[in-house]
Coordinates of all heavy atoms in Angstrom, one line a residue:
H139 N 0.0 0.1 11.3 CA -1.5 0.2 11.4 C -2.1 -0.6 10.3 O -1.9 -0.4 9.1 CB -1.9 1.6 11.5 CG -3.3 1.8 12.0 ND1 -4.4 1.3 11.3 CD2 -3.8 2.3 13.2 CE1 -5.5 1.6 12.0 NE2 -5.2 2.1 13.2
F140 N -3.0 -1.5 10.6 CA -3.6 -2.4 9.6 C -4.4 -1.8 8.5 O -4.6 -2.3 7.5 CB -4.5 -3.5 10.3 CG -5.8 -3.0 10.8 CD1 -7.0 -3.4 10.1 CD2 -6.0 -2.1 11.9 CE1 -8.2 -2.9 10.5 CE2 -7.2 -1.7 12.3 CZ -8.3 -2.1 11.6
Q141 N -4.8 -0.5 8.7 CA -5.6 0.2 7.7 C -4.8 1.0 6.8 O -5.3 1.5 5.8 CB -6.7 1.0 8.4 CG -7.8 0.2 9.0 CD -8.8 1.1 9.8 OE1 -8.3 1.9 10.7 NE2 -10.1 1.0 9.5
L142 N -3.5 1.2 7.1 CA -2.7 2.2 6.3 C -1.6 1.4 5.6 O -0.7 0.8 6.2 CB -2.0 3.2 7.3 CG -3.0 4.0 8.2 CD1 -2.3 4.9 9.1 CD2 -4.1 4.7 7.3
R143 N -1.7 1.4 4.3 CA -0.8 0.6 3.4 C 0.0 1.4 2.4 O 0.3 0.8 1.3 CB -1.6 -0.5 2.8 CG -2.5 -1.3 3.7 CD -1.6 -2.1 4.8 NE -2.4 -2.9 5.7 CZ -2.6 -4.2 5.5 NH1 -2.1 -4.8 4.4 NH2 -3.4 -4.9 6.3
N144 N 0.3 2.6 2.7 CA 1.1 3.4 1.7 C 2.6 3.5 2.2 O 3.1 4.5 2.6 CB 0.6 4.8 1.6 CG -0.7 4.8 0.8 OD1 -0.7 4.5 -0.4 ND2 -1.8 5.1 1.4
L145 N 3.2 2.3 2.2 CA 4.6 2.2 2.8 C 5.6 1.7 1.9 O 6.7 1.2 2.3 CB 4.5 1.3 4.0 CG 3.6 1.7 5.2 CD1 3.3 0.6 6.2 CD2 4.1 3.0 5.8
L146 N 5.4 1.9 0.6 CA 6.3 1.4 -0.5 C 6.3 2.4 -1.7 O 5.2 2.7 -2.2 CB 5.8 0.0 -1.0 CG 6.7 -0.7 -1.9 CD1 8.0 -1.2 -1.2 CD2 6.0 -1.9 -2.6
W147 N 7.5 2.8 -2.1 CA 7.6 3.8 -3.1 C 8.8 3.6 -4.0 O 9.9 3.3 -3.5 CB 7.7 5.2 -2.6 CG 6.4 5.6 -1.8 CD1 6.2 5.4 -0.5 CD2 5.3 6.3 -2.3 NE1 4.9 5.8 -0.1 CE2 4.4 6.4 -1.3 CE3 4.9 6.8 -3.6 CZ2 3.1 7.0 -1.4 CZ3 3.7 7.4 -3.7 CH2 2.8 7.5 -2.7
A148 N 8.6 3.6 -5.3 CA 9.6 3.4 -6.3 C 10.0 4.8 -6.9 O 9.1 5.5 -7.4 CB 9.3 2.4 -7.4
T149 N 11.3 5.1 -7.0 CA 11.7 6.4 -7.6 C 12.3 6.1 -9.0 O 12.6 7.0 -9.8 CB 12.7 7.1 -6.8 OG1 13.8 6.2 -6.5 CG2 12.1 7.6 -5.4
S150 N 12.6 4.8 -9.3 CA 13.0 4.4 -10.7 C 12.6 2.9 -10.8 O 12.1 2.3 -9.8 CB 14.5 4.6 -10.9 OG 15.2 3.5 -10.3
K151 N 12.8 2.3 -11.9 CA 12.5 0.9 -12.1 C 13.4 0.0 -11.3 O 13.2 -1.2 -11.3 CB 12.4 0.5 -13.5 CG 13.7 0.6 -14.3 CD 13.5 0.3 -15.8 CE 14.7 0.4 -16.6 NZ 14.5 0.1 -18.0
H152 N 14.4 0.6 -10.7 CA 15.4 -0.2 -9.9 C 15.5 0.2 -8.4 O 16.1 -0.5 -7.6 CB 16.8 -0.1 -10.5 CG 16.9 -0.5 -11.9 ND1 16.6 -1.8 -12.3 CD2 17.3 0.1 -13.0 CE1 16.7 -1.9 -13.6 NE2 17.2 -0.7 -14.1
D153 N 14.9 1.4 -8.0 CA 15.0 1.9 -6.7 C 13.7 2.0 -6.0 O 12.8 2.6 -6.4 CB 15.6 3.3 -6.8 CG 17.0 3.4 -7.4 OD1 18.0 3.0 -6.6 OD2 17.2 3.7 -8.5
V154 N 13.7 1.3 -4.8 CA 12.5 1.2 -4.0 C 12.8 1.6 -2.5 O 13.8 1.2 -2.0 CB 11.9 -0.2 -4.0 CG1 10.5 -0.3 -3.4 CG2 11.8 -0.8 -5.4
Y155 N 11.8 2.3 -1.9 CA 11.9 2.7 -0.5 C 10.7 2.1 0.2 O 9.6 2.0 -0.3 CB 11.9 4.2 -0.4 CG 13.1 4.9 -1.0 CD1 13.1 5.2 -2.4 CD2 14.2 5.3 -0.2 CE1 14.3 5.8 -3.0 CE2 15.3 5.9 -0.8 CZ 15.3 6.1 -2.1 OH 16.4 6.7 -2.7
F156 N 11.0 1.6 1.4 CA 10.0 0.9 2.1 C 10.2 1.0 3.6 O 11.3 1.3 4.1 CB 10.0 -0.6 1.7 CG 11.4 -1.3 2.0 CD1 11.5 -2.0 3.2 CD2 12.5 -1.1 1.2 CE1 12.8 -2.6 3.5 CE2 13.7 -1.7 1.5 CZ 13.8 -2.4 2.7
M157 N 9.1 0.7 4.4 CA 9.2 0.6 5.9 C 9.5 -0.8 6.3 O 8.9 -1.7 5.8 CB 8.0 1.1 6.5 CG 7.7 2.6 6.6 SD 9.1 3.5 7.4 CE 9.2 2.7 9.0
S158 N 10.5 -0.9 7.2 CA 10.8 -2.2 7.8 C 11.0 -2.0 9.2 O 12.1 -1.5 9.6 CB 12.0 -2.9 7.1 OG 12.3 -4.2 7.6
E159 N 10.1 -2.4 10.1 CA 10.1 -2.1 11.5 C 10.3 -0.6 11.7 O 9.4 0.1 11.3 CB 11.2 -3.0 12.2 CG 11.0 -4.5 12.0 CD 9.7 -5.0 12.5 OE1 9.1 -4.4 13.4 OE2 9.3 -6.1 12.0
S160 N 11.3 -0.2 12.3 CA 11.5 1.2 12.7 C 12.4 2.0 11.7 O 12.8 3.1 11.9 CB 12.1 1.4 14.1 OG 13.4 0.8 14.1
T161 N 12.7 1.4 10.5 CA 13.6 2.0 9.6 C 13.0 2.1 8.2 O 12.1 1.3 7.8 CB 14.9 1.2 9.4 OG1 14.6 -0.1 8.8 CG2 15.6 1.0 10.7
V162 N 13.4 3.2 7.5 CA 13.1 3.3 6.1 C 14.3 2.7 5.3 O 15.4 3.2 5.5 CB 12.9 4.8 5.6 CG1 12.6 4.9 4.1 CG2 11.7 5.4 6.4
G163 N 14.0 1.8 4.5 CA 15.1 1.1 3.8 C 15.0 1.4 2.3 O 14.0 1.9 1.8
H164 N 16.2 1.2 1.6 CA 16.2 1.3 0.2 C 16.8 0.0 -0.4 O 17.7 -0.6 0.1 CB 17.2 2.5 -0.2 CG 17.5 2.5 -1.7 ND1 18.7 2.0 -2.2 CD2 16.8 3.0 -2.8 CE1 18.7 2.1 -3.5 NE2 17.6 2.7 -3.9
W165 N 16.1 -0.4 -1.5 CA 16.5 -1.6 -2.2 C 16.8 -1.3 -3.6 O 16.0 -0.6 -4.3 CB 15.4 -2.7 -2.1 CG 15.7 -3.9 -3.0 CD1 15.1 -4.2 -4.2 CD2 16.6 -4.9 -2.8 NE1 15.5 -5.3 -4.7 CE2 16.5 -5.9 -3.8 CE3 17.5 -5.2 -1.7 CZ2 17.3 -7.0 -3.9 CZ3 18.3 -6.4 -1.8 CH2 18.1 -7.3 -2.9
S166 N 18.0 -1.7 -4.1 CA 18.3 -1.6 -5.5 C 18.1 -2.9 -6.2 O 18.8 -3.9 -5.9 CB 19.7 -1.1 -5.7 OG 20.1 -1.2 -7.1
S167 N 17.2 -3.0 -7.1 CA 17.0 -4.3 -7.8 C 18.1 -4.6 -8.8 O 18.2 -5.7 -9.4 CB 15.6 -4.3 -8.5 OG 15.5 -3.3 -9.5
L168 N 18.9 -3.5 -9.1 CA 20.0 -3.6 -10.0 C 21.2 -4.3 -9.4 O 21.8 -5.2 -9.9 CB 20.3 -2.3 -10.6 CG 21.0 -2.2 -12.0 CD1 20.2 -2.9 -13.0 CD2 21.3 -0.7 -12.3
S169 N 21.6 -3.7 -8.2 CA 22.7 -4.2 -7.5 C 22.4 -5.3 -6.4 O 23.3 -5.9 -5.9 CB 23.5 -3.1 -6.8 OG 22.7 -2.5 -5.8
H170 N 21.1 -5.4 -6.2 CA 20.6 -6.3 -5.1 C 21.2 -5.9 -3.7 O 21.5 -6.7 -2.9 CB 20.8 -7.7 -5.4 CG 19.9 -8.3 -6.4 ND1 19.4 -9.5 -6.4 CD2 19.3 -7.7 -7.5 CE1 18.6 -9.7 -7.4 NE2 18.5 -8.6 -8.1
K171 N 21.3 -4.6 -3.5 CA 21.9 -4.1 -2.3 C 20.8 -3.4 -1.4 O 20.0 -2.7 -2.0 CB 23.1 -3.1 -2.5 CG 24.3 -3.8 -3.0 CD 25.5 -2.8 -3.2 CE 26.7 -3.5 -3.6 NZ 27.9 -2.5 -3.8
L172 N 20.9 -3.6 -0.1 CA 19.9 -3.1 0.8 C 20.6 -2.1 1.7 O 21.8 -2.3 2.2 CB 19.4 -4.3 1.7 CG 18.2 -4.0 2.6 CD1 17.0 -3.6 1.8 CD2 18.0 -5.3 3.4
S173 N 20.0 -0.9 2.0 CA 20.6 0.1 2.8 C 19.5 0.8 3.7 O 18.3 0.8 3.3 CB 21.4 1.1 2.0 OG 20.5 1.8 1.1
T174 N 19.9 1.3 4.8 CA 19.1 2.1 5.7 C 19.1 3.5 5.3 O 20.2 4.1 5.3 CB 19.4 1.8 7.1 OG1 19.3 0.5 7.5 CG2 18.6 2.7 8.1
V175 N 18.0 4.2 5.1 CA 17.9 5.6 4.8 C 17.6 6.4 6.0 O 18.2 7.5 6.2 CB 16.8 5.8 3.7 CG1 16.7 7.3 3.3 CG2 17.1 5.0 2.5
L176 N 16.7 6.0 6.9 CA 16.4 6.7 8.0 C 15.9 5.7 9.1 O 15.2 4.8 8.9 CB 15.2 7.6 7.7 CG 14.9 8.8 8.6 CD1 16.1 9.7 8.8 CD2 13.8 9.7 7.9
D177 N 16.5 5.9 10.3 CA 16.2 5.0 11.5 C 15.5 5.8 12.5 O 16.0 6.7 13.1 CB 17.6 4.5 12.0 CG 17.4 3.4 13.0 OD1 16.2 3.2 13.5 OD2 18.4 2.7 13.4
F178 N 14.3 5.3 12.8 CA 13.4 5.9 13.8 C 13.5 5.3 15.2 O 12.7 5.7 16.1 CB 12.0 6.0 13.3 CG 11.7 6.9 12.1 CD1 11.7 6.3 10.9 CD2 11.6 8.2 12.3 CE1 11.5 7.1 9.8 CE2 11.4 9.1 11.2 CZ 11.4 8.5 9.9
S179 N 14.3 4.3 15.4 CA 14.4 3.6 16.6 C 14.9 4.5 17.8 O 14.6 4.3 18.9 CB 15.2 2.3 16.5 OG 16.5 2.6 16.2
G180 N 15.7 5.4 17.4 CA 16.3 6.4 18.4 C 15.7 7.8 18.2 O 14.5 8.0 18.1
H181 N 16.6 8.7 18.1 CA 16.2 10.1 18.0 C 16.5 10.7 16.6 O 17.6 10.4 16.1 CB 17.0 10.9 19.1 CG 16.6 12.4 19.2 ND1 17.4 13.4 18.6 CD2 15.6 13.0 19.7 CE1 16.8 14.6 18.8 NE2 15.7 14.3 19.5
V182 N 15.6 11.4 16.1 CA 15.8 12.1 14.8 C 15.5 13.6 15.0 O 14.5 14.0 15.7 CB 14.9 11.6 13.7 CG1 15.3 10.1 13.3 CG2 13.4 11.6 14.1
A183 N 16.3 14.4 14.4 CA 16.2 15.9 14.5 C 16.7 16.6 13.3 O 17.6 16.1 12.6 CB 17.0 16.4 15.8
P184 N 16.1 17.7 12.9 CA 16.6 18.4 11.7 C 17.9 19.1 11.9 O 18.2 19.6 13.0 CB 15.4 19.4 11.5 CG 14.9 19.7 12.8 CD 15.0 18.4 13.6
V185 N 18.7 19.2 10.9 CA 19.9 20.0 11.0 C 19.8 21.4 10.4 O 20.6 22.3 10.7 CB 21.1 19.3 10.2 CG1 21.4 17.9 10.8 CG2 20.7 19.1 8.7
E186 N 18.7 21.6 9.7 CA 18.4 23.0 9.1 C 17.4 23.7 10.0 O 16.6 23.0 10.7 CB 17.8 22.9 7.7 CG 18.8 22.2 6.7 CD 18.1 22.1 5.3 OE1 17.1 22.7 5.1 OE2 18.7 21.4 4.5
K187 N 17.5 25.0 10.1 CA 16.6 25.8 10.9 C 15.5 26.4 10.0 O 15.8 27.2 9.1 CB 17.3 26.9 11.6 CG 18.3 26.3 12.7 CD 19.0 27.4 13.5 CE 19.9 26.9 14.6 NZ 20.6 27.9 15.3
H188 N 14.3 26.1 10.3 CA 13.1 26.7 9.5 C 12.1 27.1 10.5 O 11.9 26.4 11.6 CB 12.6 25.7 8.5 CG 13.5 25.3 7.5 ND1 13.9 26.1 6.4 CD2 14.3 24.2 7.3 CE1 14.8 25.5 5.7 NE2 15.0 24.3 6.2

Side-chain angles (χ1 to χ4, degrees):
H139 195 291
F140 76 106
Q141 290 173 308
L142 304 178
R143 306 300 182 93
N144 288 294
L145 298 170
L146 186 73
W147 296 87
T149 55
S150 80
K151 62 182 178 182
H152 302 301
D153 296 283
V154 188
Y155 295 83
F156 61 96
M157 281 305 304
S158 182
E159 301 302 335
S160 60
T161 65
V162 177
H164 169 261
W165 170 256
S166 168
S167 62
L168 203 57
S169 65
H170 285 215
K171 288 185 177 179
L172 189 63
S173 60
T174 297
V175 179
L176 200 51
D177 188 346
F178 292 100
S179 61
H181 184 256
V182 292
V185 295
E186 299 178 10
K187 294 183 179 180
H188 299 282

